[in-house]
Amino acid sequence: MVKRLVFISGGLMGGEIPGLLGMAFHAVMEEVHTRLAEEGFSDVRPAHGFVFQYLSVRGGATAVELGEHLGVTKQAAVQLVDELDKRGYVDRRPHPGDRRARVVVLTPRGWACIERVVALWADIEHRWATLVGPEKLTTLRESLSAFVVEAGSPPIRPLW
């Protein structure tokens, strides 16, 4: 028997899916970060993942661009980059078009962390497929993808 979670807005009227999505995301991130710590990436925090994701897609970015993406000030972005630089996940390089600016790029350690996260996500998806069946997981993936596209494909970033 499957236990059913009840939310204040839930029950017969619906409204449970956003809460369940949030809880599922939290559970996935907790597991991923616990396993990353066991594999030598104990200094990675969830906020770092949003930086890694952005840099991996773009190939690099300035602190201003990172700040805009994350919804934080340039100073906060610089502080986050400083932290990641000290931990060996990113490097700063000269900007090709602006001698005053620096471009932040992932290091091999940063890419290795991303590779582990992708593998851990795949493991979790495999467990979900075992739990609910591959057809239902495919339907869920397609449904969530359709919703994201309809919502304008919002960026992956923290909600501070």
Side-chain angles (χ1 to χ4, degrees):
M1 180 169 153
V2 176
K3 291 185 180 181
R4 182 169 164 82
L5 299 173
V6 179
F7 297 93
I8 292 172
S9 64
L12 297 177
M13 298 300 291
E16 296 174 339
I17 292 174
L20 289 169
L21 287 171
M23 291 169 61
F25 178 77
H26 182 77
V28 167
M29 290 298 97
E30 284 290 319
E31 179 176 337
V32 165
H33 282 276
T34 297
R35 291 181 62 189
L36 282 175
E38 293 168 355
E39 297 179 20
F41 298 103
S42 62
D43 54 353
V44 173
R45 297 179 307 147
H48 298 153
F50 295 104
V51 174
F52 292 171
Q53 189 277 335
Y54 188 71
L55 293 177
S56 71
V57 170
R58 297 195 36 134
T62 64
V64 170
E65 292 168 332
L66 279 171
E68 288 172 358
H69 171 71
L70 297 172
V72 299
T73 64
K74 177 187 173 189
Q75 292 79 7
V78 167
Q79 186 176 12
L80 191 56
V81 170
D82 286 344
E83 193 177 304
L84 291 170
D85 187 24
K86 287 177 189 168
R87 295 175 184 187
Y89 292 101
V90 300
D91 245 343
R92 290 179 170 105
R93 297 193 178 149
H95 191 286
D98 183 349
R99 291 186 354 202
R100 299 167 298 155
R102 308 281 288 169
V103 175
V104 180
V105 296
L106 291 163
T107 64
R109 180 166 172 76
W111 283 109
C113 186
I114 289 172
E115 288 172 11
R116 285 307 305 140
V117 169
V118 170
L120 293 168
W121 284 353
D123 288 348
I124 291 168
E125 281 193 30
H126 178 73
R127 278 200 346 256
W128 285 355
T130 301
L131 180 67
V132 302
E135 300 82 16
K136 285 184 180 178
L137 188 62
T138 297
T139 299
L140 174 62
R141 182 181 295 110
E142 290 169 353
S143 298
L144 289 173
S145 294
F147 183 79
V148 165
V149 168
E150 190 271 333
S153 300
I156 299 173
R157 64 178 177 197
L159 298 173
W160 304 103

